[in-house]
Amino acid sequence: MKRGGGRTAALALALGLGVASTALFGCGDDKKPDTQPTEAGAASTSAPAQTSGAPKAEAPAGKIPDQVADLFAAVPENATLVARFPALSDLGVPKETLDTALPLLLKELASSSQVPEALLKSVLEGYDGIAAFTIGDDLDAKPPPLAVVARFKDEKVAESLISELKLEKVRDGRYKHPGTQNTPVHVEWLAKPRVAVISPSEPALDAALDALAGKAPSFASGPNASGAGAYFVYGDLHRLIKNPELFAIGSMASMSFGSVNDASMTYRMFGDKVPRLSTVLAPAPHDALAKLPGKPAMALDLSLARPAGKKLADLFAEIGRASGADFTPQAESALKSIGLSLSDFDRALGPSATLAMYMPEGPIDPTKLDTTSTVFFYVPFSDDAVPKKLFDTAKAAAGKEKGIQFGANRVTADISPVQSVLVELVPGGVVGAFGGKKLLDPLVATFKSGKGTLGETPGFATFKATMVPSQLAVFVDYDQMLAAVPKDLPFQFPLKGVTGSDLLLNPTEKGIDASLKGGGAVPMLGTMGALAIYGVRRYLQSAKTSEAKNTIGAIARGAVGAYERESLGAGGAPSHQLCKSAQRVPATIPSGKKYQPSSAPGTDFESGDATSGWKCLKFTIVNPIYYSYEYRAGGPYKCPARGGTDPGPDGFEISAEGDLDGDGVTSLLCQIGKVDPTTQVIKLGTQLFIADEFE
C-alpha cells in the first residue's frame, strides 16, 4: 500500500477508536508533500491543493436538525458499507486496559499526524459516537467513496482540532485539507448538533447531508438498521460481489453487539445457485456436546436432522445446486457396492455431528498450535452395522498400505512425526481425532468411559441454559482460547469462563438467511476494542516500517544498476565493480521522530562520487525519514551481529536502523547481495533480515 493511500486505510482502522477526525489527516507530515523513496531523479510529489479559484461548495439545503440522536440519520439508506461505534467510555474495554493501551496509541498518532498528544486525547475522550459508510459499487474509486460522521460531547474539541490542522475554510461550516496524492479531504462542521462529516469524496459528504436534512432516505429509516446495537457493521453483498446467481438483491451481512446476551450476526445469501438449507436441515437440541471428553477450547455441533418428509437425497440435491450437479446417484451407487442403500444410511445417521478442539497441556506456543492442538469428532448412528460396513470396506481397500494401521474397530495413520489420525467405532457411532499425538488416545478413552465429560463441568451448565434448538451450536472456553493469544499484547483480555452461540436458518426459498445469536457480548466487545487499539497501533508502526522496506528495495536496485554499468579496467578491458560504501544517513538514529535529509552538495544522500557512496548508487531521498540508512560493501557488516547473514568480501549490505518508539532499542532491517564468482552476476538475498521490527 502506498503511504498516501494509507491515510484512508488508517481511517478505517481508527473508526472504532474515535480517532477518525485525526486519522483522515494524520499518516504523514503536516505542511509537507508526500513522496515515495525513489532513485535519483524519479521522486514524485503531490501537486499542491488549490486554495483559490476553485468553485465554492454551497451550504447544505434543507433543515439540518439541531440534535442528531442516531448517527444512522446521517447515513444514506443505499450505503454499501456501514459501521457504527460508541464513545470511548462505552467501548466495553476495561479501564486498566485503556490506561495501558491508549498512551501507546496516542504516541503513535501524535508522531504520525503532528497533532499534539493532549489534543488527540481530548478528541478520543470527547467524541460521542461515530458512524462511517461508503457509497457506490466501486470501493477502489478515486477519491475513496468513504465518509465518517462523528458526534462530539463538546463542540470546542472539534473546533480546536480544525484550528490545529489549519483547515482551509471554504464557507461557513465547510473546510478542506490538502490531503495527499491530489485527494483533498472535505469537512462539514455542524455546530448545533456537534456533528462533523468528513470525507475525501464530496458526493459521499453531500449524501450524508441530504440524509440528515431529510432530502433522501437515511439508513436509520431502512430495514437493515432494525435492532442494531451500539456496535454495528453492515455490508450490501449484492453490490459488493458481482455474482447475482449467488448474491442477488437482498444479500447482506451484518454484525451487532449491544449489552450482555445481545450479540447477533445476520447473513443473507440469495440466488438461484444458493442451497435452500433451511428447507432440508431442521434445528437440533445439540445434546451430543455434553458427551465430549474433558474441556475443549471450542466445540461445534452441526445439525443433520431433516424436517418431516425430507431425506438425505434432498440435502444432497440442495448442496449440488451451486454446481448444478446432484451427486445422489453417485452416493447410491457407492453404498450399493458394499451392501447398503442411501435409505439405510439415512435412517441410521444421528441428529448431529460434533467437532471440538483441544489445546495441548502445559505452556502453549501459539505458533505451533497447528501441530500440537487436537481436533476430536463424533458422529452418532442408531444402527452400528452401517458404520461397521463402511469401516470394513475402507480396511479392505487400504490393504497393507504403509503408515496405516487397522485394528478390529479402529484405524490410525501418521501425518507427521508429531501428528496422527485415529478413527474408532464405538457403540452408537464413530469417534475420532486428528492432530497432536499426545491427546488422541486419552480423548477417545475418556469419551468411551462416559466420565470426565464436558457436561460434568460447571461452565457447561451455564452454556446449556442459553442453548436453543438450532442448526449449529458453538461452545467457547475463553480461559483456554486465551492461552493461544500472542504474548506481546500490551494489555490483558477481559474474557473469562465459557460462552456460546446458536445459528438459526430462517425459513426462505431464496437461499440462505442465517442468524447467529449468543451471550458474552460485553467481554467480546472488550476484547474487540482492545484488539482494535492494538491493531491500529501496529498498523501505524507497519506504515513506518514500510518506509524502510521500500527504501532498502530502491537502494538495492541502485546497487545492482551500478554494478551492471561497464567501466574500463586495466588495459582498457570492460569491468564491473560494486559501489564502495556510503555514509550512514543520518549519522544518529532518529529517536521516535523523523529526520529531514539535507540536499546540500556533499551531505547526506548527496555524498559520494562516481565509484562510491550515494552518488555511485544514484540514490537520493528528499522526504523526512524514520530510519538511518547505510550501504556497506565488502564489510564489516552490521546485521550478522543480530542474526543476519554475512555476504562476504564480494558482497554488500543495505541496512535501515530505527527507534520508532524512542525507547533506545532499535529495529534493524537488512538486504544483502553478493557477486557470484562464476557468473559475475549479483545475487540478492531472497528475503529481508528483520530484527525487532516495531522497535
Side-chain angles (χ1 to χ4, degrees):
M1 179 182 293
K2 295 182 178 179
R3 286 182 60 226
R7 300 186 187 214
T8 303
L11 165 64
L13 287 169
L15 295 180
L17 303 167
V19 295
S21 301
T22 57
L24 272 167
F25 315 107
C27 292
D29 295 308
D30 192 23
K31 309 177 197 173
K32 291 186 182 292
D34 193 30
T35 66
Q36 287 287 337
T38 61
E39 290 86 357
S44 63
T45 61
S46 300
Q50 294 182 356
T51 56
S52 63
K56 302 297 184 182
E58 296 181 0
K63 173 65 175 176
I64 299 292
D66 292 343
Q67 292 185 339
V68 179
D70 185 354
L71 290 177
F72 282 160
V75 175
E77 185 181 26
N78 63 348
T80 308
L81 291 172
V82 179
R84 181 173 69 185
F85 304 92
L88 188 66
S89 57
D90 299 326
L91 284 178
V93 180
K95 183 178 183 301
E96 58 272 19
T97 299
L98 283 176
D99 290 344
T100 302
L102 276 182
L104 301 174
L105 176 63
L106 285 170
K107 187 173 184 179
E108 295 292 341
L109 285 171
S111 173
S112 298
S113 66
Q114 306 299 311
V115 175
E117 277 192 43
L119 179 54
L120 287 174
K121 187 172 186 291
S122 68
V123 171
L124 284 171
E125 295 175 346
Y127 84 91
D128 191 30
I130 285 178
F133 67 88
T134 64
I135 59 173
D137 299 345
D138 184 7
L139 300 186
D140 294 322
K142 303 296 181 185
L146 165 72
V148 177
V149 184
R151 184 177 59 221
F152 290 85
K153 301 172 185 175
D154 185 345
E155 67 271 16
K156 293 180 181 178
V157 172
E159 290 167 358
S160 296
L161 184 60
I162 290 172
S163 175
E164 180 66 33
L165 291 171
K166 298 179 173 58
L167 302 185
E168 173 195 350
K169 186 174 182 179
V170 178
R171 57 161 171 75
D172 285 347
R174 177 66 67 92
Y175 301 88
K176 185 168 70 174
H177 186 279
T180 60
Q181 297 185 349
N182 296 317
T183 304
V185 178
H186 307 277
V187 178
E188 186 79 27
W189 171 237
L190 306 170
K192 283 190 176 181
R194 304 185 307 281
V195 168
V197 185
I198 311 160
S199 178
S201 164
E202 286 194 281
L205 188 147
D206 291 337
L209 296 178
D210 286 346
L212 263 179
K215 295 175 61 180
S218 72
F219 195 79
S221 62
N224 292 313
S226 177
Y231 287 80
F232 180 80
V233 180
Y234 161 87
D236 184 335
L237 300 181
H238 172 64
R239 302 183 72 178
L240 291 170
I241 305 173
K242 306 300 182 183
N243 188 340
E245 291 183 319
L246 294 176
F247 296 96
I249 294 174
S251 299
M252 54 81 75
S254 69
M255 290 190 296
S256 177
F257 298 92
S259 59
V260 176
N261 297 322
D262 184 20
S264 65
M265 181 183 80
T266 299
Y267 181 79
R268 297 186 184 123
M269 185 177 178
F270 297 158
D272 292 340
K273 289 190 174 183
V274 181
R276 278 62 172 153
L277 293 181
S278 65
T279 66
V280 292
L281 282 179
H286 308 297
D287 295 332
L289 285 170
K291 300 178 182 180
L292 286 171
K295 296 180 63 177
M298 183 171 67
L300 309 173
D301 192 63
L302 173 67
S303 171
L304 299 175
R306 275 81 63 199
K310 296 292 183 178
K311 300 183 180 301
L312 271 181
D314 299 306
L315 176 59
F316 290 163
E318 282 300 329
I319 294 174
R321 181 188 287 268
S323 62
D326 182 359
F327 57 89
T328 303
Q330 290 92 328
E332 285 274 20
S333 177
L335 289 169
K336 185 177 181 180
S337 67
I338 61 174
L340 290 173
S341 68
L342 188 58
S343 295
D344 295 332
F345 193 85
D346 196 347
R347 284 193 298 271
L349 187 63
S352 65
T354 311
L355 201 69
M357 184 179 74
Y358 292 82
M359 298 293 193
E361 297 178 357
I364 294 176
D365 182 350
T367 65
K368 297 181 179 178
L369 274 179
D370 58 332
T371 59
T372 57
S373 61
T374 304
V375 175
F376 176 90
F377 65 87
Y378 168 57
V379 181
F381 283 87
S382 61
D383 183 354
D384 289 342
V386 172
K388 178 62 174 174
K389 283 191 176 183
L390 294 173
F391 179 87
D392 290 342
T393 301
K395 182 177 181 179
K400 295 182 179 181
E401 188 171 334
K402 187 178 180 180
I404 301 179
Q405 297 84 42
F406 274 93
N409 290 306
R410 63 182 271 154
V411 58
T412 60
D414 289 340
I415 304 173
S416 72
V418 295
Q419 294 175 291
S420 290
V421 176
L422 182 158
V423 178
E424 183 170 341
L425 303 181
V426 297
V430 179
V431 298
F434 54 91
K437 290 183 177 181
K438 292 182 179 180
L439 292 177
L440 296 188
D441 284 312
L443 287 174
V444 172
T446 300
F447 180 88
K448 290 165 64 176
S449 73
K451 298 178 180 179
T453 64
L454 175 62
E456 297 172 13
T457 62
F460 187 78
T462 303
F463 167 75
K464 180 73 174 177
T466 65
M467 282 175 52
V468 298
S470 63
Q471 280 83 0
L472 178 69
V474 181
F475 169 89
V476 178
D477 184 334
Y478 285 129
D479 295 334
Q480 294 199 58
M481 292 293 287
L482 290 183
V485 169
K487 304 303 181 188
D488 63 339
L489 295 180
F491 44 77
Q492 297 295 316
F493 279 86
L495 297 179
K496 291 182 180 180
V498 302
T499 189
S501 299
D502 290 290
L503 184 141
L504 286 164
L505 294 175
N506 303 309
T508 180
E509 292 288 344
K510 296 180 179 180
I512 295 174
D513 184 349
S515 299
L516 181 68
K517 298 182 179 181
V522 169
M524 289 168 64
L525 288 177
T527 301
M528 289 174 62
L531 281 175
I533 293 172
Y534 179 69
V536 171
R537 180 177 174 238
R538 276 303 173 99
Y539 174 83
L540 294 171
Q541 290 173 327
S542 296
K544 295 175 182 177
T545 63
S546 68
E547 173 210 294
K549 295 171 184 177
N550 291 338
T551 302
I552 286 175
I555 298 171
R557 292 192 294 273
V560 172
Y563 179 80
E564 291 176 346
R565 292 193 296 269
E566 288 189 351
S567 59
L568 294 179
S575 175
H576 296 272
Q577 299 292 331
L578 291 173
C579 291
K580 297 176 184 177
S581 298
Q583 71 180 48
R584 186 165 71 175
V585 181
T588 301
I589 299 169
S591 179
K593 59 184 178 181
K594 289 187 174 184
Y595 170 79
Q596 175 64 60
S598 171
S599 59
T603 65
D604 290 348
F605 295 109
E606 302 301 320
S607 60
D609 54 35
T611 61
S612 67
W614 302 111
K615 288 286 189 181
C616 176
L617 295 167
K618 292 193 174 181
F619 176 85
T620 189
I621 184 170
V622 296
N623 274 7
I625 50 179
Y626 282 110
Y627 292 82
S628 179
Y629 295 97
E630 191 170 5
Y631 166 85
R632 295 185 182 186
Y637 300 113
K638 178 186 296 186
C639 292
R642 293 178 67 171
T645 301
D646 188 329
D650 296 322
F652 62 86
E653 173 194 85
I654 302 162
S655 66
E657 191 168 7
D659 183 6
L660 300 179
D661 53 11
D663 65 353
V665 179
T666 63
S667 53
L668 183 63
L669 295 83
C670 301
Q671 171 73 66
I672 62 169
K674 63 187 304 181
V675 178
D676 187 298
T678 302
T679 63
Q680 293 298 302
V681 172
I682 288 183
K683 289 187 176 180
L684 293 176
T686 56
Q687 60 184 15
L688 284 178
F689 168 76
I690 301 176
D692 303 315
E693 181 174 4
F694 298 116
E695 288 292 342

